[in-house]
């Protein structure tokens, strides 16, 4: 069953054509398309006319209804379907690969509504005139995908590379984000996730913590101004795992290390030109004789 067929099944399960017409869910263009494609229950002549329309070159249905939203391409119907599916990101990703028109609808509407359903307050703050830096698909990926660790160019590489993975539940916090800002950039707003912990394969190796975040209004932030004014070079071997843009390597203050419970003496993270942040670190282990790794994290607030 291909993506188009699967989506049509979802639509039939979520709402009937009659209910959609009664509640005003379908657009005028879709209703016009339905009227043109309606075939009587009996009569071979009508069926033959429809077949001729599909196979008749310039007289095909596609030519007759050009510019009309066709079937499940109606945006309001798609929104209803994915709302019924609780904005399942894997299904949405599959549907967005079905065609260029579906991808355009997903990038403009569906990924946005998915982000709103997952983090409404954060998304409301990040949105400017209906848009976010880097695009809605990138923000949705940042909310739901841990990029792993051991990116090239990290000052203190993690002991074992950690692949990225789907992370359905993550918590982003401005309080955590303040720990990553230099003092001169304290007025910037940064949302950072709790570290995603990955167990090391060996007993003697530290666990890996991968974290990610996003700046509010990065273009006008002091962090970006310092990077540009200081002519900080872009990393040649690293790209943003969320939007694919170029990134800078930024030295994190000690408050970030304490916040994460990191084992490194020097911690760096990457921030792209769209304001997406990602990084990884080795997590300090708690022992029965010491809890220094987390004592300072509480006092940092």
């Amino acid at each position: 069953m291909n993506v188009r067929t699967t989506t049509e099944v979802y639509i039939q399960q979520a709402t009937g054509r009659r209910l959609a017409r009664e509640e005003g869910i379908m657009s005028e263009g879709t209703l016009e398309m339905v009227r043109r494609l309606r075939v009587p229950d009996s009569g071979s002549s009508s069926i033959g006319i429809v077949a001729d329309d599909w196979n008749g070159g310039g007289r095909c249905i596609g030519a007759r209804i050009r510019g009309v939203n066709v079937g499940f391409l109606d945006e309001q119907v798609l929104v209803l379907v994915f709302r019924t599916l609780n904005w399942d990101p894997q299904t949405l990703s599959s549907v967005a690969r079905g065609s260029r028109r579906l991808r355009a609808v997903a990038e403009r509407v569906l990924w946005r509504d998915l982000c709103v359903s997952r983090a409404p307050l954060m998304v409301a703050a990040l949105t400017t005139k209906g848009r976010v830096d880097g695009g809605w698909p990138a923000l949705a990926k940042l909310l739901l995908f841990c990029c792993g660790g051991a990116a090239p160019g990290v000052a203190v590489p993690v002991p074992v590379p950690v692949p990225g993975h789907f992370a359905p539940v993550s918590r982003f916090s401005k309080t955590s984000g303040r720990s990553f800002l230099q003092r001169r950039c304290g007025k910037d707003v940064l949302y950072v996730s709790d570290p995603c912990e990955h167990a090391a394969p060996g007993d003697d190796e530290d666990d890996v913590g991968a974290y990610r975040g996003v700046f509010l209004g990065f273009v006008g932030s002091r962090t970006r101004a310092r990077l540009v004014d200081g002519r900080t070079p872009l990393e040649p071997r690293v790209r943003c795992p969320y939007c694919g843009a170029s990134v800078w390597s930024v030295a994190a203050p000690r408050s970030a290390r304490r916040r994460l419970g990191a084992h490194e003496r020097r911690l760096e993270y990457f921030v792209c030109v769209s304001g997406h942040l990602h990084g990884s670190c080795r997590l300090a282990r708690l022992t029965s004789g010491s809890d220094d790794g987390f004592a300072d994290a509480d006092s940092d607030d």
Side-chain angles (χ1 to χ4, degrees):
M1 184 178 291
N2 57 31
V3 173
R4 183 187 182 97
T5 305
T6 303
T7 309
E8 290 173 343
V9 171
Y10 286 148
I11 294 174
Q12 292 173 1
Q13 294 175 347
T15 178
R17 184 177 296 166
R18 181 180 303 173
L19 179 62
R21 186 185 296 110
E22 292 175 352
E23 296 182 357
I25 294 172
M26 283 190 177
S27 66
E28 290 298 326
T30 303
L31 292 178
E32 177 65 19
M33 180 272 298
V34 172
R35 286 193 290 269
R36 294 184 182 186
L37 296 184
R38 184 179 292 120
V39 179
D41 295 336
S42 62
S44 58
S45 59
S46 297
I47 297 177
I49 292 173
V50 173
D52 290 341
D53 280 337
W54 280 106
N55 300 319
R59 295 183 294 115
C60 67
I61 291 177
R64 287 167 49 192
I65 59 175
R66 185 174 301 157
V68 176
N69 285 336
V70 180
F72 61 82
L73 294 183
D74 186 282
E75 295 178 7
Q76 293 176 316
V77 174
L78 282 171
V79 169
L80 178 65
V81 170
F82 281 101
R83 186 182 301 161
T84 304
L85 297 175
N86 195 27
W87 298 104
D88 179 64
Q90 295 172 326
T91 302
L92 200 162
S93 180
S94 298
V95 169
R97 293 195 297 266
S99 68
R100 286 182 295 178
R101 292 188 65 185
L102 277 172
R103 182 175 60 187
V105 173
E107 291 179 354
R108 186 176 65 257
V109 179
L110 301 180
W111 288 120
R112 178 198 63 194
D113 289 357
L114 181 148
C115 293
V116 172
S117 70
R118 294 297 191 267
L121 296 180
M122 173 179 163
V123 171
L126 295 172
T127 303
T128 303
K129 296 182 179 180
R131 299 181 179 181
V132 292
D133 294 339
W136 291 109
L139 180 60
K141 186 176 181 180
L142 186 141
L143 291 175
L144 299 170
F145 182 76
C146 170
C147 62
V154 179
V156 183
V158 298
V160 178
V162 177
H165 62 89
F166 180 64
V169 179
S170 299
R171 188 181 73 94
F172 289 79
S173 169
K174 289 189 293 185
T175 303
S176 298
R178 283 196 293 268
S179 302
F180 285 77
L181 298 174
Q182 302 289 344
R183 290 184 179 180
R184 296 181 180 179
C185 305
K187 292 185 178 181
D188 292 346
V189 177
L190 171 63
Y191 295 87
V192 173
S193 69
D194 293 335
C196 184
E197 300 183 11
H198 304 82
D203 295 335
D204 297 333
E205 294 181 346
D206 297 321
D207 293 341
V208 176
Y211 53 91
R212 59 199 191 275
V214 57
F215 278 86
L216 170 63
F218 183 66
V219 173
S221 67
R222 294 189 177 184
T223 299
R224 181 183 181 277
R226 291 194 65 188
L227 292 170
V228 173
D229 294 343
R231 298 185 178 181
T232 304
L234 295 168
E235 290 292 331
R237 296 186 298 160
V238 184
R239 289 280 179 171
C240 176
Y242 301 107
C243 68
S246 301
V247 302
W248 289 286
S249 178
V250 181
R254 285 184 295 179
S255 56
R257 177 165 53 90
R258 294 195 299 267
R259 185 81 186 182
L260 295 170
H263 193 60
E264 288 90 354
R265 294 183 178 180
R266 176 179 171 83
L267 182 66
E268 292 186 1
Y269 61 83
F270 297 108
V271 59
C272 76
V273 296
S274 298
H276 303 136
L277 175 150
H278 75 280
S280 59
C281 62
R282 294 178 297 178
L283 299 177
R285 296 187 177 185
L286 290 176
T287 63
S288 58
S290 173
D291 60 353
D292 293 339
F294 291 88
D296 291 334
D298 294 334
S299 62
D300 188 52
D301 291 339

